[in-house]
Amino acid sequence: MSFVNVRERIAFRADKMNKINLFDEAQMFMDVYCLEPGQAQKPHAHAGAAKTYFVLEGEGVFQVGEEERKLGAGHAILAPAGIDHGVRNEGPERLVVLVSMAPNPNYA
């Protein structure tokens, strides 16, 4: 059995969004993204893989396709395969997001 204390893995970088891998399997991966105010993940797409975002702390602006939404802790977002998606932290507080993708494009 694999387990991790996500709270203990949260770490921020001053220069860019920090991606911390929690699990990495051919079927899926799970990361925690840590964004300081002003940091962002540029919109991009993954052919053949869907991504989910789950906000743990803070508030972020999430883009999926042409739609953007500001969402806070407890909200989940699905970015279907092949659709542009990204997140930015426009607020004054830190943003922590649990992210998973399936299948894992690193094993394609």
Side-chain angles (χ1 to χ4, degrees):
M1 172 177 22
S2 296
F3 65 93
V4 64
N5 183 325
V6 176
R7 297 270 179 221
E8 291 178 356
R9 301 292 306 276
I10 293 170
F12 292 86
R13 293 179 54 164
D15 60 330
K16 65 179 182 176
M17 174 187 79
N18 197 14
K19 291 183 184 182
I20 300 130
N21 183 256
L22 303 175
F23 301 108
D24 190 20
E25 296 288 333
Q27 298 82 9
M28 60 81 70
F29 75 77
M30 181 177 285
D31 292 342
V32 63
Y33 290 4
C34 301
L35 295 91
E36 293 280 9
Q39 293 179 341
Q41 176 191 48
K42 293 181 182 176
H44 62 288
H46 305 276
K51 182 182 279 184
T52 60
Y53 297 94
F54 181 79
V55 182
L56 295 174
E57 299 175 14
E59 189 173 75
V61 178
F62 293 85
Q63 176 189 337
V64 176
E66 299 298 317
E67 188 175 356
E68 284 191 352
R69 281 225 182 138
K70 185 181 283 190
L71 299 171
H75 286 93
I77 304 95
L78 172 67
I83 304 296
D84 282 346
H85 57 276
V87 58
R88 48 186 203 277
N89 183 356
E90 295 180 345
E93 305 295 325
R94 289 176 158 176
L95 173 63
V96 180
V97 183
L98 190 64
V99 178
S100 63
M101 186 181 296
N104 188 338
N106 297 324
Y107 286 82

